[in-house]
Amino acid sequence: MARVGILTGGGDCPGLNAVIRATTRRVIDRGWEVAAVREGWRGLIEGLVGPLGLREVSGILPRGGTILGTSRTNPYRVEDGVDKVLATFKREGLDALVAIGGEDTLGVAAKLHAEHDLPVVGVPKTIDNDLNATDYTFGFDTAVTIATEAIDRLHTTAESHNRVMVVEVMGRHTGWIAVHSGIAGGADVILIPEHPMTVEEACALLEKRHETGKDFSIVVVSEGYELTYASGEKTMVAGEARPTDQFGHVVFGGVGGELAREIEDRTGYETRVTVLGHVQRGGTPTPRDRVLATRYGLKAADLVHAGSFGRMAALHGDSIVDVSLVEATKELKTVPRDWWDVAQAFAG
Ligand code: F6P
């Protein structure tokens, strides 16, 4: 009988429990055992491994967060971290590992597979949707749904007060959440890192809109957007002064407030900001994310069964396929021009 470990790493996201449930169910159906690895890679460094059975995964499909806990621990940045991971893997009698995570967690998985032949398969998780080689990561649809609902609600209060409402959404270095929620919520201006509109252009769009009789506006800004000016100057609002995690990330947040001040100063329109923050990551997954996470979870178990290690479950069109972990983590999937054009068709 084989023993298959499961871990969740990086920022949590709705749908993690749906993957854990699906993988566990299928692995146990095959007569194998499942082991819970707690708190991401830290669990393998510190030996936080225990049994995971049908009872533990019962009723977790709609639950947000992760029953396994998570961390942003990077074994390559911990003294003897990799050796400890390999030692725990052996001591616990694990035959395979399912790593559920984004570019960081899966980047470690890819490296451990390439350098130490660790039998690992990946599942693409992140609300940011920035993982390469898959059309969508699970968690993204829920984040977009939450952001869209917020934009809808902000519309009514913006209209009552004749205000500009700036909504700051997550997404790190990519603008997927901003573009999708902005299109779905009918935003008038969308600002993302990949196609940075200048502050002057954004204000001109708002003024043009107000000249045509609309006296309120919605601006969606992605947290990773750098305030960009016609002069060529760029300012990254968040990060520099805050601590980074073991993957070297800055802590984003704050560009919305700066942008709101700029808009009010330059246009004279009363402006407010809403930072959605971790609300986008909390709570129950949408049906679409539950289904995607479930399909990914089953695929991960199938890859383990087939001995297809170093692979990741992925969505291509409407099909679940597998791709190499190296391909999935070699670069970020940024918002391409054609998506940006859709968003721009409704600007101003
Ligand atoms: O990667 C997911 C994400 O939610 C980003 O959108 C955001 O910048 C970051 O994680 C926040 O991380 P933390 O939970 O460490 O504050």
Side-chain angles (χ1 to χ4, degrees), residues 11-12 72 125-128 130 169-172 177 223 245 250-252 277-278 281:
D12 73 340
R72 294 197 192 275
K125 163 243 65 158
T126 169
I127 63 163
D128 302 338
D130 60 359
V169 298
M170 281 186 163
R172 210 166 246 162
I177 298 177
E223 61 178 5
D245 62 23
V250 298
V251 179
F252 282 112
H278 293 79
R281 289 215 322 240

Side-chain angles (χ1 to χ4, degrees), residues 2-334:
R3 190 162 194 240
V4 182
I6 306 186
L7 67 77
T8 53
D12 73 340
C13 116
L16 284 165
N17 288 325
V19 179
I20 295 165
R21 167 182 175 266
T23 301
T24 302
R25 291 271 295 262
R26 178 145 290 177
V27 168
I28 290 176
D29 274 354
R30 297 234 159 92
W32 290 356
E33 236 178 67
V34 183
V37 177
R38 311 270 165 204
E39 296 178 23
W41 292 112
R42 186 193 297 154
L44 283 180
I45 293 173
E46 297 179 8
L48 312 175
V49 181
L52 188 67
L54 294 177
R55 182 190 291 259
E56 287 79 21
V57 301
S58 168
I60 66 170
L61 173 63
R63 204 187 304 166
T66 163
I67 62 164
L68 300 178
T70 186
S71 71
R72 294 197 192 275
T73 302
N74 180 353
Y76 285 90
R77 299 286 289 272
V78 173
E79 208 182 328
D80 299 328
V82 171
D83 290 345
K84 287 177 179 165
V85 165
L86 300 174
T88 304
F89 192 83
K90 200 166 169 205
R91 192 176 55 246
E92 290 293 335
L94 296 176
D95 300 286
L97 179 70
V98 174
I100 311 169
E103 46 145 351
D104 299 330
T105 304
L106 298 185
V108 170
K111 233 171 145 184
L112 287 171
H113 178 259
E115 293 174 1
H116 300 280
D117 213 15
L118 191 80
V120 59
V121 305
V123 177
K125 163 243 65 158
T126 169
I127 63 163
D128 302 338
N129 198 40
D130 60 359
L131 208 56
N132 200 36
T134 184
D135 290 352
Y136 289 97
T137 51
F138 74 86
F140 173 65
D141 185 63
T142 307
V144 169
T145 301
I146 293 166
T148 303
E149 188 192 325
I151 294 168
D152 288 348
R153 289 175 185 278
L154 289 167
H155 252 113
T156 64
T157 171
E159 193 167 7
S160 306
H161 287 268
N162 301 340
R163 283 173 172 159
V164 176
M165 293 300 218
V166 174
V167 191
E168 180 183 309
V169 298
M170 281 186 163
R172 210 166 246 162
H173 299 289
T174 64
W176 287 105
I177 298 177
V179 163
H180 278 242
S181 64
I183 293 170
D188 306 298
V189 174
I190 301 174
L191 297 155
I192 64 171
E194 296 95 326
H195 305 280
M197 181 188 286
T198 64
V199 170
E200 290 87 345
E201 284 167 335
C203 289
L205 282 171
L206 296 175
E207 278 163 348
K208 188 181 118 211
R209 179 176 149 81
H210 285 224
E211 274 158 24
T212 62
K214 301 275 191 182
D215 42 23
F216 70 95
S217 295
I218 300 286
V219 176
V220 176
V221 60
S222 187
E223 61 178 5
Y225 165 77
E226 290 180 284
L227 281 180
T228 305
Y229 296 91
S231 63
E233 186 199 334
K234 284 183 174 226
T235 311
M236 172 58 86
V237 175
E240 287 85 359
R242 310 274 304 272
T244 58
D245 62 23
Q246 287 187 337
F247 289 92
H249 295 299
V250 298
V251 179
F252 282 112
V255 67
E258 290 297 320
L259 181 67
R261 264 187 291 282
E262 286 280 24
I263 291 172
E264 193 165 283
D265 286 353
R266 287 165 185 263
T267 64
Y269 305 144
E270 193 179 13
T271 305
R272 295 286 189 268
V273 61
T274 302
V275 180
L276 291 181
H278 293 79
V279 167
Q280 293 158 100
R281 289 215 322 240
T284 191
T286 57
R288 187 178 167 79
D289 271 339
R290 293 181 200 189
V291 171
L292 184 59
T294 297
R295 295 175 79 199
Y296 280 157
L298 294 179
K299 182 69 177 183
D302 290 345
L303 289 170
V304 167
H305 194 234
S308 299
F309 299 116
R311 310 291 295 171
M312 181 187 85
L315 183 73
H316 286 180
D318 202 28
S319 304
I320 301 292
V321 299
D322 60 282
V323 297
S324 88
L325 277 170
V326 172
E327 174 75 10
T329 55
K330 73 170 191 219
E331 62 189 1
L332 280 186
K333 185 183 68 185
T334 52

